[in-house]
Amino acid sequence: QVQLVASGGGAVNLGGSLRLSCAPPEGHHTGMAWFRQSPGKEREGVACMDYGAGETFYAESVKGRFTISRDDADITYLQMDDVKDEGAGVYYCETDRVPFPCQIALNSPRSLDVWGQGTQVTVSS
């Protein structure tokens, strides 16, 4: 059952920027994680925010270029800057009703209970 909706995907030039959004699910949730699935590859963790600890975590491949944030409307964003070829793929946001360690979640795609449809990002040179 789709409970999260990721949006904001589209075409981006190599080195360009794009911002993805994830609308909050109904009910309590304790953080948000972004995952990416590129063609022919396994889904991989990209970024995660732990609301309780106020901490953010990133995959090494996106550190310094991607930023996860959350606004007062509880929408979570993934700001993608200096996008590289490997940035192409379908991006998904996932969360859970119970606290989850970001470091574990990022290494365990599909392990969280609340997920939804992704948004496609294509990178052109």
Side-chain angles (χ1 to χ4, degrees), residues 82-99:
D82 189 20
V83 175
K84 302 187 183 301
D85 284 331
E86 59 266 28
V90 180
Y91 284 75
Y92 300 88
C93 48
E94 297 182 17
T95 187
D96 210 308
R97 307 292 185 194
V98 297

Side-chain angles (χ1 to χ4, degrees), residues 38-106:
S38 302
K41 295 185 178 180
E42 295 291 324
R43 188 174 298 193
E44 60 179 339
V46 175
C48 184
M49 175 177 279
D50 182 325
Y51 296 162
E55 296 178 325
T56 56
F57 301 85
Y58 298 92
E60 285 297 324
S61 60
V62 306
K63 273 184 182 177
R65 299 185 298 111
F66 288 15
T67 304
I68 186 171
S69 64
R70 177 192 182 199
D71 67 11
D72 291 342
D74 205 18
I75 297 172
T76 303
Y77 301 97
L78 182 68
Q79 176 67 40
M80 305 165 57
D81 296 318
D82 189 20
V83 175
K84 302 187 183 301
D85 284 331
E86 59 266 28
V90 180
Y91 284 75
Y92 300 88
C93 48
E94 297 182 17
T95 187
D96 210 308
R97 307 292 185 194
V98 297
F100 60 92
C102 273
Q103 299 98 316
I104 294 177
L106 286 179

